[in-house]
Amino acid sequence: GAGVSQTPSNKVTEKGKYVELRCDPISGHTALYWYRQSLGQGPEFLIYFQGTGAADDSGLPNDRFFAVRPEGSVSTLKIQRTERGDSAVYLCASSLTDFNSPLHFGNGTRLTVT
Amino acid sequence: AQTVTQSQPEMSVQEAETVTLSCTYDTSESDYYLFWYKQPPSRQMILVIRQEAYKQQNATENRFSVNFQKAAKSFSLKISDSQLGDAAMYFCAYRNTNAGNNRKLIWGLGTSLAVNP
């Protein structure tokens, strides 16, 4: 079956603009995670959904970042008033349940803010 | 707070040889998971191997094995019979097993592995 799909693969935007990054998890996976990976770094946790609700959003860096998962499947990460420091690869992962199940990652979206 | 440290930014190995990647971590928990992930240029994180802290036996997956030293908080990855396709970034990661809603992975900075023909 299909893996985790993230779109777009690459996104270039101007400073101050609004962007949306989409994650389509594996069908039936209830847990969904967003991570951010800056150049030369390991991923950093942003937010975790269990079903439709955000179970842990402690990693969101500030109120410009917001994520939704309205039907418990596709998730959208939204960034307002983008800054150059937001440039990174945004990784999405899903798992069958929220505990003990292995994570399946997408190929990420590379966001470049000019 | 838990931390993960990978002290080798870059490593290289000859094809068919063996290489060991190092990882240390810090935690006050007694039970947790440790992982090694591989990230090729495609950017997709691929799980290589997983170790549960309560298990004393070191995990093994084909050519990949770990040396888990719980007291020393060390978790190294050994790749045997290295292949060209093993070239990638390798990340060590930690996760609590029982922490309420805390399901996040904590990652090291990664080790870039080159495999020389």
Side-chain angles (χ1 to χ4, degrees):
Chain A
V4 177
S5 175
Q6 290 189 247
T7 54
S9 179
N10 293 281
K11 175 73 176 178
V12 180
T13 190
E14 292 180 348
K15 178 176 178 294
K17 299 290 188 182
Y18 168 83
V19 296
E20 290 190 351
L21 311 180
R22 176 188 169 109
C23 174
D24 204 334
I26 293 172
S27 178
H29 280 196
T30 60
L32 186 146
Y33 300 78
W34 284 99
Y35 286 85
R36 177 169 72 173
Q37 187 177 18
S38 300
L39 189 64
Q41 304 289 316
E44 293 177 295
F45 170 78
L46 294 177
I47 188 169
Y48 152 61
F49 287 91
Q50 179 57 33
T52 60
D56 183 356
D57 65 357
S58 63
L60 295 177
N62 52 59
D63 62 5
R64 296 187 298 105
F65 288 76
F66 189 70
V68 295
R69 195 185 184 198
E71 298 179 358
S73 177
V74 171
S75 176
T76 304
L77 178 65
K78 308 180 180 191
I79 310 174
Q80 298 177 323
R81 304 183 303 280
T82 52
E83 299 177 357
R84 292 194 179 88
D86 298 335
S87 296
V89 173
Y90 289 81
L91 295 168
C92 177
S94 69
S95 67
L96 190 57
T97 64
D98 70 333
F99 192 69
N100 277 341
S101 302
L103 295 185
H104 299 263
F105 282 84
N107 288 351
T109 293
R110 182 181 298 280
L111 176 66
T112 302
V113 182
T114 62
Chain B
Q2 293 89 5
T3 59
V4 176
T5 301
Q6 292 179 251
S7 58
Q8 304 157 315
E10 297 178 348
M11 293 282 285
S12 65
V13 63
Q14 291 296 124
E15 195 175 3
E17 297 292 305
T18 295
V19 65
T20 298
L21 308 184
S22 300
C23 173
T24 59
Y25 60 94
D26 190 26
T27 183
S28 58
E29 301 290 332
S30 60
D31 198 16
Y32 43 87
Y33 293 107
L34 295 165
F35 306 85
W36 279 98
Y37 280 88
K38 170 185 177 181
Q39 188 178 40
S42 68
R43 300 194 304 244
Q44 183 184 28
M45 286 288 186
I46 301 165
L47 179 64
V48 174
I49 200 165
R50 176 175 111 159
Q51 175 80 42
E52 295 162 4
Y54 71 88
K55 290 186 177 179
Q56 294 185 342
Q57 186 173 7
N58 288 326
T60 299
E61 288 288 341
N62 300 314
R63 298 183 295 107
F64 299 87
S65 61
V66 297
N67 183 4
F68 173 47
Q69 301 289 329
K70 191 172 183 180
K73 295 180 181 173
S74 171
F75 183 62
S76 61
L77 175 70
K78 185 172 83 171
I79 306 174
S80 303
D81 186 26
S82 297
Q83 300 176 0
L84 295 177
D86 294 334
M89 284 292 292
Y90 285 81
F91 289 93
C92 179
Y94 167 102
R95 181 185 184 189
N96 287 326
T97 57
N98 182 21
N101 287 324
N102 185 357
R103 299 283 186 252
K104 64 184 178 184
L105 287 165
I106 298 167
W107 302 77
L109 292 180
T111 296
S112 177
L113 178 65
V115 180
N116 303 315

